[in-house]
Every structure is written in structure tokens, then in C-alpha cells.
Amino acid sequence: MDEIDVAAAAELYGGAAFTAHVVPVAESGEITTRHGMTLLATPVAKAGKLDRLVIPGATSRTPLAAAAPDVPVFLPAAAAGTGNTSFDPILADIARSDGRHVAQTAAKYIEYPLPALPQQGGAPVRVTVIAILAAALAIAVGLVPALISRIRVRRRGAARPQAR
């Protein structure tokens, strides 16, 4: 595989779009790229539970995919059209799974010209959940001083002796 194929997958999924925890896996503990660079990887048998395999540079299922038969496989090189780089199919995949805006932001982050991306239907789940959790946390933090004040007032009222 080419180094650019590997860099596109690792940078976009794990670095620019923050859509996945990228774990490099291989059949053995290392991979040698087209130009002789040795990359360290986790053997797929020891990788634990995988949500999906992204196999850069491959245009058909590989022995790596056979080593994890129940895991969905995405082959960016097979999805690339003529004239596309390694980044285009990955950005299109991010747009489909996490939303067009996430893919656009990732492309801007790496200063990559925005390719044609699939249209997105609905709100991206990940971004929506994070926004809801952030709003709930902000409300909870805002209510804490009021609750502390109310507790102190009640304690003072209970500590005062009653007049007869």
C-alpha cells in the first residue's frame, strides 16, 4: 500500500474529523509500504472488538478482511473514482456516516480542496448528542450555586432556636 493511502485514512478518521479511534491493524505486527517504510500495527487477532476495517490501497477483500469475518470492511481505493486522490473517498465516507459538515470541516482542517460530497439527510448523530450533553452540563453547572444557597438557608433556619 502507498503511504498517502495510509495517511489519508489515519489523518481524516482519527485526526481531522475525530470520528473514530484509529487502531492500525495488520495480519502480523508490521506492514511494509510501497516505498519500504515499516509501520507498526496490532495483529488483527489481538486487536479486540473492531467496529469496522478500513483497508487503504486495497481494491478487493484481502486476507486481513478474512481474518475478521464479522467486521464491515471499507475499501477507499475501490470507492475512488477516476481522478480522485486517497482523501476523496474517505471524505465521502465521513459525509455519509457523520454528516456533510463534519467532512467539510475535516477537509478545511487539512487544507484539502472540498470534493463533491454526498448529501446528508437529517442531523449528524454524534454532533447532536455532544451538543445536547454540553447544554445539559451547562444547565447543571448553572444550577449548583442556587442549590448550595438553598441548602445553606435551610440549615440556618433549622439551626436557629425557636422563640416561644
Side-chain angles (χ1 to χ4, degrees), residues 130-143:
I130 290 172
I132 290 170
L133 290 175
L137 180 64
I139 291 169
V141 167
L143 291 176

Side-chain angles (χ1 to χ4, degrees), residues 25-31 41-46 62-67:
V25 296
E27 293 175 66
S28 63
E30 55 185 45
I31 302 166
T42 301
V44 72
K46 296 181 180 179
T62 65
L64 179 62

Side-chain angles (χ1 to χ4, degrees), residues 44 48-53 61-74:
V44 72
K49 184 181 179 302
L50 299 172
D51 294 331
R52 183 164 82 140
L53 279 175
R61 292 182 71 86
T62 65
L64 179 62
D70 297 332
V71 178
V73 176
F74 176 58

Side-chain angles (χ1 to χ4, degrees), residues 64-163:
L64 179 62
D70 297 332
V71 178
V73 176
F74 176 58
L75 306 172
T82 55
N84 286 348
T85 69
S86 302
F87 293 88
D88 295 332
I90 294 174
L91 284 167
D93 182 54
I94 290 170
R96 276 189 297 278
S97 61
D98 295 297
R100 184 179 177 84
H101 297 295
V102 175
Q104 287 173 331
T105 302
K108 287 178 185 178
Y109 183 78
I110 64 169
E111 298 180 4
Y112 186 78
L114 194 62
L117 296 173
Q119 291 299 323
Q120 167 198 349
V125 175
R126 183 171 180 259
V127 174
T128 304
V129 169
I130 290 172
I132 290 170
L133 290 175
L137 180 64
I139 291 169
V141 167
L143 291 176
V144 167
L147 291 174
I148 291 173
S149 176
R150 179 177 252 177
I151 291 170
R152 285 183 181 167
V153 168
R154 286 185 180 171
R155 285 185 182 167
R156 278 190 224 141
R160 290 183 188 159
Q162 299 293 327

